[in-house]
Amino acid sequence: MGTMSHLHTDPPRAWTDEDGPVPPDSWGRDLSPGRTLPWGFMLVIVLLVVGRFALAPHLTSAALRTWATIFVAICVQALPFLVFGVALSAAITAFVPASFWTRALPGRPSVAVPVAGMAGAVLPGCECASVPVASGLMARGVTPAAALAFLLASPAINPIVLVATAVAFPGQPLMVAARFGASLTVAVLVGWLWLRFGRSEWLRIPSRPHDGGSKLVAFGEAMRHDLLHAGGFLIVGGLAAATLNVLVPREWLTAVAAIPWLAVLVMALLAVLLSICSEADAFVAASMTAFSPTAKLAFLVVGPMVDLKLIALQAGTFGRAFAVRFVPLTFALAVLVSALCGWLLL
């Protein structure tokens, strides 16, 4: 029971209870509640507290202090949105019947993809929240391509992000419009491409703990599982992002800002490395005055869709086979679409 079951790719059988757990547990992983997870989490907390007082006097390097500050900032910034996403995903699992999604989304998957992308405009949240929400949608029977379009669009075009972008770029409404249009276009294109070329064996659809009794119990179990699972991969991504922030010399950035095409690529890569939440990335982009508006747009479009902590969350949730295909596709389209929109609008 403690091991993962392999992903079945046979045609799905008819569900006898459309409001029951969708898809069946045999389609995903064995997610029996592990009693050791809470104790392991507590052990990590204890070790961190002990290490803080035992090792802090010996860690005097400026680079190490910078690394620690960036790591803590990434995790603290992302954690509230991760908890929000986990709670929303658990609520979808426990309280929303599977039949709702068949009524809310169009029956044709090709039409459901842009509708799901537009739904991201009304749901506040960052990329950390979008992964568990998309996972919950898939577990309730939503077409994976539509859930992926929502995953990409939600952190980039929701009202909080657009307002933050307008505040960061005062008097530049075209920057807000370009971010909205480019981000939604990328989300829909990725969803359509996955619908056309994606294979079931590339995507591990997570199942959810389900209790046939109280929905509150099901909500608690789903939230506990997702928080422990996604939180671990958030830490891994935060560690990688903090390390690269310290290692990449800032002098390199000013040297390439004068080369237009290279500036776009550098800003896109910088968005991946910095792993800044979408609610705050506009202020960082606006502060990089040496770069062109198109390069800043690439930073704003790529960041909410592809960054280190998000890659770690996606790989942990949907599997490495998914991440190695989905991440390069999303990154390439995000760079191309943002460069085109910047050339046309900015």
Side-chain angles (χ1 to χ4, degrees):
M1 294 293 293
T3 60
M4 293 185 181
S5 61
H6 67 279
L7 180 66
H8 296 281
T9 58
D10 296 330
R13 296 171 297 167
W15 299 315
T16 57
D17 178 10
E18 71 171 356
D19 289 342
V22 180
D25 289 340
S26 60
W27 283 25
R29 296 171 292 164
D30 182 3
L31 296 176
S32 301
R35 301 302 177 189
T36 61
L37 284 176
W39 292 107
F41 185 75
M42 291 299 298
L43 177 61
V44 171
I45 297 298
V46 171
L47 290 176
L48 288 174
V49 173
V50 172
R52 165 67 178 83
F53 293 101
L55 299 178
H58 306 287
L59 303 180
T60 58
S61 168
L64 190 56
R65 289 199 302 268
T66 301
W67 178 91
T69 300
I70 294 172
F71 169 68
V72 172
I74 289 175
C75 292
V76 170
Q77 183 186 51
L79 188 59
F81 299 102
L82 179 64
V83 172
F84 171 78
V86 165
L88 184 59
S89 173
I92 290 173
T93 299
F95 301 114
V96 180
S99 57
F100 169 81
W101 303 111
T102 61
R103 298 191 300 267
L105 292 174
R108 294 180 58 185
S110 59
V111 180
V113 167
V115 171
M118 284 299 300
V122 299
L123 181 61
C126 77
E127 58 270 23
C128 299
S130 66
V131 173
V133 172
S135 172
L137 292 176
M138 292 183 193
R140 300 303 286 168
V142 172
T143 301
L148 294 177
F150 176 86
L151 182 152
L152 295 176
S154 175
I157 66 172
N158 71 72
I160 294 178
V161 170
L162 296 179
V163 170
T165 305
V167 172
F169 293 90
Q172 303 181 52
L174 286 180
M175 180 63 78
V176 181
R179 181 174 196 178
F180 178 89
S183 299
L184 181 60
T185 300
V186 173
V188 173
L189 288 177
V190 170
W192 278 338
L193 287 173
W194 192 269
L195 181 65
R196 175 62 180 85
F197 300 104
R199 298 181 181 178
S200 58
E201 60 266 25
W202 293 347
L203 178 62
R204 182 178 64 200
I205 299 179
S207 59
R208 287 291 184 272
H210 182 77
D211 191 288
S214 171
K215 291 186 176 182
L216 288 176
V217 173
F219 172 81
E221 288 295 320
M223 187 168 180
R224 181 189 66 85
H225 167 265
D226 281 355
L227 186 59
L228 290 173
H229 184 72
F233 286 97
L234 171 63
I235 291 175
V236 171
L239 289 171
T243 301
L244 289 170
N245 267 271
V246 173
L247 293 180
V248 176
R250 295 190 179 274
E251 293 79 8
W252 293 4
L253 302 180
T254 56
V256 301
I259 307 175
W261 65 269
L262 187 57
V264 171
L265 289 177
V266 167
M267 286 292 279
L269 291 173
L270 193 62
V272 176
L273 301 182
L274 292 181
S275 302
I276 302 172
C277 256
S278 57
E279 280 79 5
D281 60 0
F283 299 96
V284 176
S287 68
M288 298 181 179
T289 56
F291 288 88
S292 67
T294 300
K296 294 177 183 179
L297 178 62
F299 182 90
L300 297 178
V301 174
V302 172
M305 298 184 178
V306 184
D307 65 32
L308 290 179
K309 66 179 184 296
L310 185 56
I311 293 171
L313 286 170
Q314 290 174 354
T317 303
F318 303 119
R320 285 182 295 178
F322 166 82
V324 298
R325 294 170 173 85
F326 185 76
V327 170
L329 171 65
T330 304
F331 179 82
L333 282 176
V335 172
L336 292 175
V337 172
S338 59
L340 180 60
C341 286
W343 178 68
L344 291 175
L345 298 177
L346 304 177

